[in-house]
């Protein structure tokens, strides 16, 4: 098992890619710290993992809430004494073209996707530095490399996440910490529910493989990047798009 004895904190782990990643990490032997917004979602994710024999603890963590983040970190350290992996997966969309975007839409997406990623890394980095090891993985997107119609706010956050990765990997590499981003194409999860069926069908049609990704196909990439098999991958923004951008 590639993640045996590793303690992995995953945000937004109650749904979609985060849930698939939590399940994959647990199957690879990690103790998974499931972080999400509500108790029911967290409990369901923990139950799904433990029913299959995996190890998981659940915490309510809104990535915009520093008190909740610090409470989770302190509890995890008290119980497990280490944090090996952080997957900054939590993210939302609130799409609108520039001419229609409201300040609330802009601020909320930036607060969760960008500042939330910073909040989590800032809160956990000291632990990784003290350990002399750690992996920080961050959810960017193909939209964080190429932009997308109607996604001014989301694109800015996903470009920003790659900026974090390029900066943190320079700062933390010598301290034994690797930092990378994953840039998925379009993945069949609840985040796409606001997109019209026709847009999704067109999107799938643009992919040479003629389909969206499954959440497990992104989870597999996170698991590889979190494992020691990826020991020389640092500062990368890995596109996992089925060839969408070719
Ligand atoms: N689905 C896609 O096509 C796609 C493509 C590229 C990148 N991504 C990125 O992958 C990540 C996961 O997306 P998904 O498709 O699985 O979405 P999803 O909506 O299925 O899951 C997102 C999870 O994040 C949680 N969340 C939302 N706000 C939060 C907050 N403030 N604090 C903590 N948790 C919060 C939600 O409760 C939910 O469980 C996001 O960062 C998204 O931008 C998704």
């Amino acid at each position: 098992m590639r993640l045996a004895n590793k303690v992995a904190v995953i945000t937004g782990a109650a749904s979609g890619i985060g849930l698939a990643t939590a399940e994959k990490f647990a199957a690879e032997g990690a103790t998974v710290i499931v972080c999400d917004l509500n108790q029911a979602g967290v409990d369901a994710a923990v139950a799904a993992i433990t029913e299959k024999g995996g190890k998981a603890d659940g915490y309510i963590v809104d990535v915009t809430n520093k008190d909740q983040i610090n409470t989770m970190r302190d509890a995890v350290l008290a119980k497990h004494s280490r944090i090996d992996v952080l997957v900054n997966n939590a993210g939302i969309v609130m799409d609108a073209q520039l001419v229609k975007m409201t300040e609330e839409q802009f601020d909320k997406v930036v607060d969760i996707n960008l500042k939330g990623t910073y909040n989590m890394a800032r809160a956990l980095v000291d632990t990784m530095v003290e350990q002399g090891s750690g992996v920080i993985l961050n959810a960017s997107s193909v939209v964080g490399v190429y932009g997308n119609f109607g996604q001014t706010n989301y694109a800015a956050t996903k470009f920003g996440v790659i900026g974090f990765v390029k900066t943190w990997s320079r700062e933390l590499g010598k301290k034994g910490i690797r930092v990378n981003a994953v840039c998925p194409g379009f993945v069949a999860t609840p985040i796409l529910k606001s997109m019209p069926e026709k847009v999704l069908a067109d999107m799938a049609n643009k992919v040479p493989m003629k389909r969206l990704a499954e959440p497990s196909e992104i989870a597999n990439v996170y698991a590889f990047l979190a494992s020691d098999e990826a020991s020389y991958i640092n500062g990368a923004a890995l596109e996992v798009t089925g060839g969408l951008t070719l």
Side-chain angles (χ1 to χ4, degrees), residues 14-54:
S15 172
I17 295 167
L19 177 59
T21 302
E23 289 175 328
K24 175 67 179 172
F25 276 38
E28 291 284 358
T31 297
V32 179
I33 311 302
V34 170
C35 300
D36 210 301
L37 292 178
N38 65 74
Q39 196 68 58
V42 168
D43 289 350
V46 170
I49 291 167
T50 49
E51 272 160 24
K52 288 185 198 141

Side-chain angles (χ1 to χ4, degrees), residues 137-142 145 162 165-166 179-185 217-218 220-222 224-225 230 233 235-241:
L137 303 176
N138 303 280
S140 182
S141 167
V142 68
V145 182
I162 293 177
V165 165
K166 302 292 178 189
V179 186
N180 294 293
V182 176
C183 304
E217 294 177 294
I218 309 304
N220 290 342
V221 178
Y222 279 122
F224 166 63
L225 289 175
I233 302 183
L238 190 55
E239 291 183 32
V240 186
T241 68

Side-chain angles (χ1 to χ4, degrees), residues 11-19 35-38 61-64 88-93 112-113 139-142 154 158 182-193 222:
T11 66
S15 172
I17 295 167
L19 177 59
C35 300
D36 210 301
L37 292 178
N38 65 74
V61 177
D62 179 335
V63 297
T64 67
N88 274 314
N89 165 76
I92 63 162
V93 292
I112 294 172
N113 297 9
S140 182
S141 167
V142 68
Y154 184 81
K158 297 302 183 183
V182 176
C183 304
F186 292 89
V187 188
T189 76
I191 208 171
L192 299 185
K193 67 181 183 297
Y222 279 122

